[in-house]
Amino acid sequence: MKLLVAVKQVAALDEDFEIRSDGKDVDPDFLIRDLNEWDDYSLEEAVRIKEAAAAGAGAAVEVVVVCIGPEDADESLRKCLAKGADRAIRVWDETIEGSDSIAVARIIAAVARKEQPDMLFAGVQSSDHSFASTGIAAAAFLDWPHAAVVTNLAYAPGAKTAVLRRELEGGVLHEMQIECPAVLTIQLGINTPRYASLRSIKQAAAKPIEAVSLAQLGVKPSDVGESGSLSRVRRMYVPDKGRAQMIAGSVEEQAARLAQIIKDLAGSAA
């Protein structure tokens, strides 16, 4: 059986940064890239299922990671291989540039149709954009059952169903049974992700990463990029800083000063 894990190489801001000349993103020279934190937990959950199956002499489990990104995303994929993934797939084409989370989900769904996994795992969200929509959108494209914000999973490889617990608003937990194949978005804290050993890092460096094109997946260029996206970035900017100030003095003096500030602001608004 097979578990497919969608991962993303996210971008974090350096301390000092500049906005790109077109105003739509941060200059890439000021970005630090790494594996998305939520995806680390998704991968760990898949690897644990594989190891439990092997220990119990159950069905062999293959863990496949897929990333939609350019060649520099290979670094994050090799990190996944070092932590227990069996195969790594990277999908990229220049026409993918500018895709929103839904267009990316369309590509992930195409990979799932090609790989035919028993389960598709994705992180609840990415730490850079935090849309929390890619995994659920992939389920919609596949027409598979799905559950979001999963904090506990009981799944025996090859089983037709899985039992899971997920977070709802207000601290409420929801336990449910889901039919497989299914898409699950994994929440932080479901497990403790492992560190890759030096030996596994060296072994991962020698493993191939499968580069797959849109044509191989049967995805049209018009279905990705800005043309295939329902949302697009208009501009990115650093918001103006507020005018907060510390008010010194006694309680009476602070109250009088606060009243004056409110009066001045009300006057300027008028």
Side-chain angles (χ1 to χ4, degrees):
M1 65 157 290
K2 185 184 299 184
L3 299 175
L4 182 64
V5 183
V7 301
K8 181 182 182 182
Q9 179 163 270
V10 296
L13 291 177
D14 205 343
E15 290 185 7
D16 298 313
F17 64 91
E18 296 177 4
I19 302 296
R20 224 166 53 188
S21 58
D22 63 3
K24 293 185 177 182
D25 206 343
V26 175
D27 188 316
D29 291 340
F30 295 89
L31 295 175
I32 303 168
R33 301 188 183 276
D34 199 2
L35 178 66
N36 180 43
E37 183 180 9
W38 278 263
D39 299 339
D40 209 3
Y41 287 83
S42 299
L43 173 64
E44 176 66 26
E45 195 66 17
V47 172
R48 289 187 179 202
I49 291 172
K50 179 181 79 167
E51 291 175 342
V61 178
E62 181 184 30
V63 175
V64 182
V65 289
V66 57
C67 179
I68 315 302
E71 194 170 339
D72 62 5
D74 285 357
E75 182 179 350
S76 290
L77 286 172
R78 293 203 183 281
K79 184 177 291 188
C80 294
L81 290 170
K83 290 187 175 188
D86 299 296
R87 289 169 48 216
I89 299 171
R90 181 173 57 81
V91 183
W92 188 247
D93 186 291
E94 293 301 324
T95 58
I96 296 175
E97 188 73 42
S99 296
D100 67 0
S101 59
I102 308 304
V104 169
R106 184 179 285 112
I107 303 171
I108 292 172
V111 174
R113 291 190 196 98
K114 182 174 182 290
E115 290 291 324
Q116 292 294 302
D118 296 82
M119 296 277 268
L120 169 59
F121 293 167
V124 166
Q125 62 185 30
S126 64
S127 58
D128 50 4
H129 292 149
S130 301
F131 290 138
S133 57
T134 305
I136 302 306
F141 286 122
L142 290 166
D143 195 23
W144 286 5
H146 65 273
V149 201
V150 175
T151 59
N152 184 271
L153 176 63
Y155 174 65
K160 298 298 182 182
T161 61
V163 175
L164 59 93
R165 187 182 306 133
R166 66 192 193 98
E167 288 183 358
L168 300 180
E169 290 76 8
V172 176
L173 296 177
H174 178 205
E175 188 167 295
M176 59 180 288
Q177 180 174 289
I178 195 168
E179 293 184 1
C180 303
V183 179
L184 306 182
T185 65
I186 306 299
Q187 175 65 306
L188 304 179
I190 190 173
N191 52 50
T192 302
R194 69 194 65 197
Y195 290 98
S197 66
L198 182 59
R199 178 185 179 188
S200 61
I201 292 172
K202 289 182 177 179
Q203 290 174 336
K207 290 184 178 180
I209 291 175
E210 302 171 39
V212 178
S213 66
L214 291 179
Q216 289 173 291
L217 296 174
V219 178
K220 295 183 291 186
S222 58
D223 289 336
V224 299
E226 288 194 1
S227 62
S229 300
L230 298 179
S231 63
R232 56 184 57 85
V233 177
R234 294 181 60 185
R235 70 184 178 113
M236 186 176 290
Y237 61 96
V238 179
D240 295 332
K241 294 182 179 179
R243 295 178 293 173
Q245 58 179 281
M246 298 298 294
I247 302 176
S250 65
V251 174
E252 292 77 11
E253 291 171 334
Q254 290 176 347
R257 177 59 183 147
L258 181 59
Q260 184 61 47
I261 291 173
I262 294 173
K263 183 179 179 180
D264 293 341
L265 288 174
S268 63

